[in-house]
Amino acid sequence: TVGDEISAAALGERVFHVPNVRGTTFLELDGVTLLDSGNSSAQGGCLLAESARVDLNNTTFDGCAASDGGGAAFVDSDVTFSGSNLTSNEARQGGGVYAENTVLAVTTSSVQSNSAFDGGGLFVLGDGHAVIKESLIHDNVAERAGGGAWIQMATTGIETAIHDNQAIYGGGALVFDAPFVGTQVNVFDNNASRYGGGFYGHQRAEIELDHSSLYGNWGSTGGGGIYTLSLAYLYNSTVHENSAFYGAAVQSVGGSSFVFGNNVSIADNQHLGFIGFAIEGPTIRLRNSIVERHFASCSPSVDSIGYVVSTDNNCLSGGAPGNLSGPANTVAQTVGTERRLVLQPGSIAIDVGNTASCESDDQRFLSRPQGLSCDAGAYELEN
């Protein structure tokens, strides 16, 4: 179907149902707008595909509603979105999209202003894999968890922004029993009324961010940038100006949690009370990193495993070599949707990292080292 506008408001039913009939079926939409349709007791407000291949190009889902997948629901399918928009849809799970046991590719698309109980924008689960590339997930609302997305399936984010979403848990996204791997993923201005302003890592979750930034997120109780019960890894990333009562930047909780940061820059995260640390949890390890400008930066359980620059002695604990006490004096810079903490000439963080363990490039993909040794933090100052 090409270039149509279809409204099924009077039908109380979805527009398309692509069932599994004698094997895999196929649907392609190009330039189509699907409006005001759905069935709140069924899956897929405007579209349901089961064991199907679906290609959606320049397609809009607007004002659709369902129990799962307000805009669209996919089960055991192979789906691509390109240049498409999911706007103002609503559901119990996955206001914009619900995908189960599905291979899902979302490219140059926008998921915005959708609402759900869980997964305001997206709800993905089961076997399969989701890739979200060069897209925007913003202004979605979840009544409970995963304002931007509920991620319960292996998911990769590339050059994507997740911002201005809201939930009780995981304003930007909640990750549960699955890995989320993000490269150039910028997560900002999300709001969690309890835990995990940017990300909430639930049980058996793994969050990995590379060349990314977390900034301006708000988690009222804990974990302004990231709250995790599981695993979180940060490389060449910036964590800046997030807010929470505990763990304004990062909070890990419980015996199964572990956080590791290499070449990260963490600064200016704000406590909402008079106690708590910017980084806190039972097992947190930092290397080749910068931590500065907090009321209290690191809880006593945070260990440097070498070459950390900080004004907080807690951030330098562990007896590893190369630690340096003092301010790095970084300056915040926003380029597009990316936040950086830029080193200035004369900073004590220049050439103090360990080239053997530094990342091979910086947050901007500039190669390291530029000087005698690599710089601490996510930003490598050019020669």
Short mmCIF file of all heavy atoms in Angstrom, two decimals, residues 207-210 226 231-239 250 258-266 279 283-291 302-309 315 357-359 368 376-378:
data_model
loop_
_atom_site.label_atom_id
_atom_site.label_comp_id
_atom_site.label_asym_id
_atom_site.label_seq_id
_atom_site.Cartn_x
_atom_site.Cartn_y
_atom_site.Cartn_z
N ILE A 207 23.60 -3.26 30.93
CA ILE A 207 23.58 -1.99 30.21
C ILE A 207 25.01 -1.63 29.86
O ILE A 207 25.87 -1.54 30.73
CB ILE A 207 22.95 -0.88 31.06
CG1 ILE A 207 21.49 -1.22 31.39
CG2 ILE A 207 23.03 0.47 30.34
CD1 ILE A 207 20.88 -0.33 32.45
N GLU A 208 25.28 -1.42 28.58
CA GLU A 208 26.61 -1.02 28.13
C GLU A 208 26.48 0.22 27.25
O GLU A 208 25.77 0.20 26.24
CB GLU A 208 27.29 -2.14 27.36
CG GLU A 208 28.69 -1.78 26.87
CD GLU A 208 29.37 -2.91 26.13
OE1 GLU A 208 29.23 -4.08 26.57
OE2 GLU A 208 30.03 -2.64 25.10
N LEU A 209 27.18 1.29 27.64
CA LEU A 209 27.15 2.54 26.88
C LEU A 209 28.57 2.91 26.47
O LEU A 209 29.48 2.93 27.30
CB LEU A 209 26.55 3.66 27.72
CG LEU A 209 25.08 3.51 28.13
CD1 LEU A 209 24.66 4.66 29.03
CD2 LEU A 209 24.17 3.41 26.92
N ASP A 210 28.73 3.22 25.20
CA ASP A 210 30.03 3.57 24.63
C ASP A 210 29.85 4.83 23.78
O ASP A 210 28.88 4.94 23.03
CB ASP A 210 30.52 2.40 23.76
CG ASP A 210 32.00 2.50 23.42
OD1 ASP A 210 32.62 3.51 23.77
OD2 ASP A 210 32.51 1.57 22.79
N ILE A 226 21.82 6.39 36.13
CA ILE A 226 21.57 4.94 36.05
C ILE A 226 21.30 4.40 37.44
O ILE A 226 22.02 4.71 38.41
CB ILE A 226 22.77 4.19 35.47
CG1 ILE A 226 23.03 4.60 34.01
CG2 ILE A 226 22.58 2.67 35.54
CD1 ILE A 226 24.26 3.94 33.40
N LEU A 231 24.20 -5.29 35.97
CA LEU A 231 25.49 -4.92 35.41
C LEU A 231 25.38 -3.66 34.57
O LEU A 231 24.44 -3.51 33.80
CB LEU A 231 26.04 -6.05 34.54
CG LEU A 231 26.12 -7.44 35.17
CD1 LEU A 231 26.60 -8.46 34.14
CD2 LEU A 231 27.02 -7.44 36.39
N ALA A 232 26.37 -2.77 34.71
CA ALA A 232 26.43 -1.58 33.87
C ALA A 232 27.89 -1.30 33.54
O ALA A 232 28.76 -1.35 34.42
CB ALA A 232 25.81 -0.37 34.56
N TYR A 233 28.15 -1.02 32.26
CA TYR A 233 29.51 -0.74 31.78
C TYR A 233 29.47 0.56 30.99
O TYR A 233 28.66 0.71 30.07
CB TYR A 233 30.02 -1.88 30.89
CG TYR A 233 30.01 -3.23 31.55
CD1 TYR A 233 28.91 -4.09 31.41
CD2 TYR A 233 31.09 -3.65 32.32
CE1 TYR A 233 28.90 -5.33 32.03
CE2 TYR A 233 31.08 -4.90 32.93
CZ TYR A 233 29.99 -5.73 32.79
OH TYR A 233 29.97 -6.95 33.39
N LEU A 234 30.39 1.47 31.32
CA LEU A 234 30.47 2.76 30.65
C LEU A 234 31.86 2.95 30.08
O LEU A 234 32.86 2.81 30.81
CB LEU A 234 30.16 3.89 31.63
CG LEU A 234 28.82 3.84 32.37
CD1 LEU A 234 28.73 4.97 33.38
CD2 LEU A 234 27.67 3.92 31.39
N TYR A 235 31.94 3.28 28.80
CA TYR A 235 33.20 3.52 28.13
C TYR A 235 33.09 4.83 27.34
O TYR A 235 32.10 5.05 26.62
CB TYR A 235 33.55 2.39 27.16
CG TYR A 235 33.50 1.01 27.77
CD1 TYR A 235 32.40 0.17 27.55
CD2 TYR A 235 34.54 0.54 28.56
CE1 TYR A 235 32.35 -1.10 28.10
CE2 TYR A 235 34.50 -0.73 29.11
CZ TYR A 235 33.40 -1.54 28.89
OH TYR A 235 33.35 -2.81 29.44
N ASN A 236 34.12 5.68 27.46
CA ASN A 236 34.14 6.92 26.66
C ASN A 236 32.82 7.66 26.75
O ASN A 236 32.28 8.12 25.74
CB ASN A 236 34.44 6.60 25.19
CG ASN A 236 35.91 6.42 24.92
OD1 ASN A 236 36.75 7.04 25.58
ND2 ASN A 236 36.26 5.58 23.97
N SER A 237 32.28 7.77 27.95
CA SER A 237 30.95 8.36 28.11
C SER A 237 30.97 9.44 29.19
O SER A 237 31.82 9.46 30.08
CB SER A 237 29.93 7.28 28.46
OG SER A 237 29.75 6.41 27.36
N THR A 238 30.00 10.34 29.10
CA THR A 238 29.86 11.47 30.01
C THR A 238 28.57 11.32 30.82
O THR A 238 27.52 11.00 30.26
CB THR A 238 29.83 12.79 29.22
OG1 THR A 238 31.13 13.01 28.65
CG2 THR A 238 29.46 13.96 30.09
N VAL A 239 28.68 11.55 32.14
CA VAL A 239 27.53 11.51 33.04
C VAL A 239 27.50 12.87 33.74
O VAL A 239 28.34 13.16 34.59
CB VAL A 239 27.65 10.36 34.05
CG1 VAL A 239 26.38 10.27 34.90
CG2 VAL A 239 27.91 9.03 33.34
N VAL A 250 25.15 7.58 39.39
CA VAL A 250 24.97 6.13 39.26
C VAL A 250 24.73 5.55 40.64
O VAL A 250 25.45 5.86 41.59
CB VAL A 250 26.22 5.45 38.64
CG1 VAL A 250 26.03 3.94 38.60
CG2 VAL A 250 26.52 6.00 37.25
N PHE A 258 27.05 -4.70 39.62
CA PHE A 258 28.45 -4.37 39.35
C PHE A 258 28.47 -3.28 38.30
O PHE A 258 27.79 -3.37 37.28
CB PHE A 258 29.22 -5.59 38.86
CG PHE A 258 30.64 -5.29 38.46
CD1 PHE A 258 31.62 -5.13 39.42
CD2 PHE A 258 30.98 -5.15 37.13
CE1 PHE A 258 32.94 -4.84 39.07
CE2 PHE A 258 32.29 -4.87 36.75
CZ PHE A 258 33.28 -4.72 37.72
N VAL A 259 29.26 -2.23 38.55
CA VAL A 259 29.39 -1.12 37.60
C VAL A 259 30.87 -0.91 37.31
O VAL A 259 31.69 -0.87 38.24
CB VAL A 259 28.77 0.17 38.16
CG1 VAL A 259 29.00 1.34 37.19
CG2 VAL A 259 27.27 -0.02 38.42
N PHE A 260 31.20 -0.75 36.04
CA PHE A 260 32.59 -0.49 35.63
C PHE A 260 32.61 0.68 34.67
O PHE A 260 31.81 0.75 33.74
CB PHE A 260 33.18 -1.73 34.95
CG PHE A 260 34.57 -1.49 34.39
CD1 PHE A 260 35.66 -1.33 35.23
CD2 PHE A 260 34.77 -1.41 33.02
CE1 PHE A 260 36.93 -1.11 34.72
CE2 PHE A 260 36.03 -1.18 32.49
CZ PHE A 260 37.12 -1.03 33.36
N GLY A 261 33.53 1.60 34.91
CA GLY A 261 33.70 2.73 34.01
C GLY A 261 35.14 2.92 33.61
O GLY A 261 36.03 2.96 34.47
N ASN A 262 35.42 3.01 32.31
CA ASN A 262 36.75 3.29 31.79
C ASN A 262 36.67 4.50 30.86
O ASN A 262 35.86 4.53 29.95
CB ASN A 262 37.32 2.09 31.04
CG ASN A 262 38.81 2.20 30.80
OD1 ASN A 262 39.56 2.67 31.66
ND2 ASN A 262 39.29 1.76 29.64
N ASN A 263 37.52 5.49 31.13
CA ASN A 263 37.49 6.74 30.38
C ASN A 263 36.09 7.36 30.41
O ASN A 263 35.49 7.66 29.38
CB ASN A 263 37.96 6.57 28.94
CG ASN A 263 39.47 6.39 28.85
OD1 ASN A 263 39.96 5.33 28.48
ND2 ASN A 263 40.22 7.43 29.19
N VAL A 264 35.57 7.54 31.61
CA VAL A 264 34.31 8.25 31.78
C VAL A 264 34.57 9.58 32.48
O VAL A 264 35.52 9.72 33.26
CB VAL A 264 33.26 7.42 32.56
CG1 VAL A 264 32.85 6.20 31.77
CG2 VAL A 264 33.77 7.02 33.93
N SER A 265 33.72 10.55 32.19
CA SER A 265 33.76 11.86 32.84
C SER A 265 32.45 12.05 33.58
O SER A 265 31.38 12.01 32.96
CB SER A 265 33.97 12.97 31.82
OG SER A 265 35.22 12.85 31.17
N ILE A 266 32.54 12.25 34.89
CA ILE A 266 31.34 12.34 35.74
C ILE A 266 31.45 13.63 36.55
O ILE A 266 32.38 13.80 37.35
CB ILE A 266 31.25 11.12 36.68
CG1 ILE A 266 31.26 9.82 35.87
CG2 ILE A 266 30.00 11.20 37.54
CD1 ILE A 266 31.35 8.56 36.71
N ILE A 279 28.05 8.81 43.13
CA ILE A 279 28.26 7.43 42.68
C ILE A 279 28.24 6.54 43.92
O ILE A 279 29.07 6.73 44.82
CB ILE A 279 29.61 7.27 41.98
CG1 ILE A 279 29.79 8.32 40.88
CG2 ILE A 279 29.76 5.87 41.39
CD1 ILE A 279 31.20 8.40 40.34
N THR A 283 29.61 -2.51 44.48
CA THR A 283 30.78 -2.87 43.68
C THR A 283 30.84 -1.97 42.45
O THR A 283 30.17 -2.22 41.45
CB THR A 283 30.74 -4.35 43.24
OG1 THR A 283 30.45 -5.18 44.36
CG2 THR A 283 32.08 -4.76 42.64
N ILE A 284 31.64 -0.91 42.56
CA ILE A 284 31.82 0.03 41.45
C ILE A 284 33.31 0.24 41.24
O ILE A 284 34.05 0.51 42.18
CB ILE A 284 31.12 1.37 41.73
CG1 ILE A 284 29.61 1.16 41.87
CG2 ILE A 284 31.41 2.36 40.60
CD1 ILE A 284 28.84 2.42 42.21
N ARG A 285 33.77 0.08 39.99
CA ARG A 285 35.18 0.20 39.68
C ARG A 285 35.36 1.27 38.60
O ARG A 285 34.67 1.26 37.58
CB ARG A 285 35.75 -1.13 39.17
CG ARG A 285 35.59 -2.29 40.14
CD ARG A 285 36.51 -2.15 41.35
NE ARG A 285 36.39 -3.29 42.25
CZ ARG A 285 35.63 -3.29 43.34
NH1 ARG A 285 34.91 -2.22 43.65
NH2 ARG A 285 35.57 -4.36 44.11
N LEU A 286 36.32 2.17 38.81
CA LEU A 286 36.62 3.24 37.87
C LEU A 286 38.08 3.18 37.45
O LEU A 286 38.96 2.86 38.26
CB LEU A 286 36.35 4.62 38.50
CG LEU A 286 34.92 4.90 38.95
CD1 LEU A 286 34.87 6.25 39.65
CD2 LEU A 286 33.96 4.86 37.77
N ARG A 287 38.34 3.52 36.18
CA ARG A 287 39.71 3.53 35.66
C ARG A 287 39.83 4.62 34.59
O ARG A 287 38.90 4.83 33.80
CB ARG A 287 40.05 2.17 35.06
CG ARG A 287 41.51 2.01 34.62
CD ARG A 287 41.78 0.56 34.20
NE ARG A 287 41.01 0.21 33.01
CZ ARG A 287 40.87 -1.04 32.55
NH1 ARG A 287 41.42 -2.06 33.22
NH2 ARG A 287 40.19 -1.29 31.46
N ASN A 288 40.95 5.32 34.58
CA ASN A 288 41.21 6.35 33.56
C ASN A 288 40.06 7.34 33.46
O ASN A 288 39.66 7.73 32.36
CB ASN A 288 41.45 5.69 32.19
CG ASN A 288 42.67 4.80 32.17
OD1 ASN A 288 43.75 5.19 32.60
ND2 ASN A 288 42.50 3.57 31.68
N SER A 289 39.56 7.77 34.59
CA SER A 289 38.32 8.54 34.61
C SER A 289 38.46 9.83 35.42
O SER A 289 39.42 10.02 36.16
CB SER A 289 37.17 7.69 35.16
OG SER A 289 36.90 6.61 34.28
N ILE A 290 37.47 10.70 35.28
CA ILE A 290 37.40 11.98 36.00
C ILE A 290 36.09 12.02 36.78
O ILE A 290 35.02 11.72 36.23
CB ILE A 290 37.44 13.17 35.02
CG1 ILE A 290 38.80 13.25 34.32
CG2 ILE A 290 37.13 14.47 35.74
CD1 ILE A 290 38.82 14.25 33.17
N VAL A 291 36.17 12.39 38.06
CA VAL A 291 34.98 12.58 38.89
C VAL A 291 35.17 13.89 39.65
O VAL A 291 36.12 14.02 40.43
CB VAL A 291 34.77 11.42 39.88
CG1 VAL A 291 33.44 11.59 40.59
CG2 VAL A 291 34.84 10.06 39.19
N VAL A 302 33.25 2.57 46.35
CA VAL A 302 33.76 2.82 45.00
C VAL A 302 35.28 2.67 45.03
O VAL A 302 35.96 3.25 45.87
CB VAL A 302 33.38 4.22 44.51
CG1 VAL A 302 33.99 4.50 43.14
CG2 VAL A 302 31.85 4.36 44.44
N ASP A 303 35.82 1.89 44.09
CA ASP A 303 37.27 1.68 44.03
C ASP A 303 37.83 2.19 42.72
O ASP A 303 37.29 1.92 41.65
CB ASP A 303 37.62 0.18 44.14
CG ASP A 303 37.60 -0.31 45.57
OD1 ASP A 303 37.71 0.52 46.48
OD2 ASP A 303 37.45 -1.53 45.77
N SER A 304 38.94 2.93 42.82
CA SER A 304 39.73 3.21 41.64
C SER A 304 40.63 2.02 41.38
O SER A 304 41.29 1.51 42.29
CB SER A 304 40.59 4.46 41.85
OG SER A 304 41.60 4.53 40.87
N ILE A 305 40.66 1.58 40.13
CA ILE A 305 41.64 0.55 39.76
C ILE A 305 42.74 1.16 38.90
O ILE A 305 43.43 0.48 38.17
CB ILE A 305 40.96 -0.66 39.07
CG1 ILE A 305 40.13 -0.24 37.86
CG2 ILE A 305 40.09 -1.40 40.06
CD1 ILE A 305 39.57 -1.43 37.08
N GLY A 306 42.86 2.51 39.04
CA GLY A 306 44.01 3.18 38.46
C GLY A 306 43.68 4.38 37.60
O GLY A 306 42.72 4.38 36.84
N TYR A 307 44.47 5.46 37.79
CA TYR A 307 44.49 6.60 36.88
C TYR A 307 43.17 7.37 36.88
O TYR A 307 42.65 7.75 35.84
CB TYR A 307 44.87 6.15 35.47
CG TYR A 307 46.14 5.33 35.47
CD1 TYR A 307 46.08 3.93 35.53
CD2 TYR A 307 47.39 5.94 35.48
CE1 TYR A 307 47.23 3.17 35.58
CE2 TYR A 307 48.56 5.18 35.54
CZ TYR A 307 48.47 3.80 35.59
OH TYR A 307 49.61 3.04 35.66
N VAL A 308 42.66 7.59 38.09
CA VAL A 308 41.44 8.38 38.27
C VAL A 308 41.83 9.75 38.81
O VAL A 308 42.66 9.87 39.70
CB VAL A 308 40.47 7.67 39.25
CG1 VAL A 308 39.31 8.58 39.62
CG2 VAL A 308 39.95 6.38 38.62
N VAL A 309 41.21 10.80 38.25
CA VAL A 309 41.42 12.17 38.70
C VAL A 309 40.17 12.62 39.43
O VAL A 309 39.06 12.59 38.87
CB VAL A 309 41.70 13.11 37.51
CG1 VAL A 309 41.82 14.55 37.98
CG2 VAL A 309 42.95 12.68 36.77
N CYS A 315 36.95 8.44 45.78
CA CYS A 315 37.05 8.02 44.38
C CYS A 315 38.44 7.50 44.04
O CYS A 315 38.62 6.88 42.98
CB CYS A 315 36.72 9.18 43.45
SG CYS A 315 35.09 9.91 43.68
N SER A 357 45.66 0.70 29.15
CA SER A 357 44.29 0.34 29.53
C SER A 357 43.25 1.36 29.09
O SER A 357 42.05 1.14 29.25
CB SER A 357 44.19 0.14 31.05
OG SER A 357 44.56 1.33 31.74
N CYS A 358 43.69 2.50 28.52
CA CYS A 358 42.73 3.48 27.99
C CYS A 358 42.00 2.90 26.78
O CYS A 358 42.51 2.01 26.09
CB CYS A 358 43.46 4.75 27.55
SG CYS A 358 43.68 5.97 28.87
N GLU A 359 40.83 3.45 26.51
CA GLU A 359 40.13 3.14 25.27
C GLU A 359 40.96 3.66 24.09
O GLU A 359 41.76 4.58 24.23
CB GLU A 359 38.75 3.78 25.26
CG GLU A 359 37.85 3.33 26.40
CD GLU A 359 37.54 1.84 26.36
OE1 GLU A 359 37.12 1.35 25.29
OE2 GLU A 359 37.74 1.17 27.38
N ARG A 368 43.35 7.91 20.61
CA ARG A 368 44.21 8.10 21.78
C ARG A 368 45.51 7.33 21.57
O ARG A 368 45.49 6.28 20.95
CB ARG A 368 43.53 7.56 23.05
CG ARG A 368 42.20 8.19 23.42
CD ARG A 368 41.71 7.52 24.70
NE ARG A 368 40.37 7.87 25.07
CZ ARG A 368 40.04 8.82 25.96
NH1 ARG A 368 40.99 9.54 26.52
NH2 ARG A 368 38.78 9.06 26.25
N ALA A 376 42.87 11.24 31.04
CA ALA A 376 41.78 10.69 31.85
C ALA A 376 40.46 11.29 31.37
O ALA A 376 40.40 12.41 30.86
CB ALA A 376 42.00 10.99 33.32
N GLY A 377 39.41 10.51 31.52
CA GLY A 377 38.08 10.98 31.14
C GLY A 377 37.70 10.59 29.73
O GLY A 377 38.43 9.90 29.01
N ALA A 378 36.52 11.05 29.32
CA ALA A 378 35.95 10.68 28.03
C ALA A 378 36.48 11.52 26.88
O ALA A 378 36.26 11.19 25.72
CB ALA A 378 34.43 10.77 28.08
#
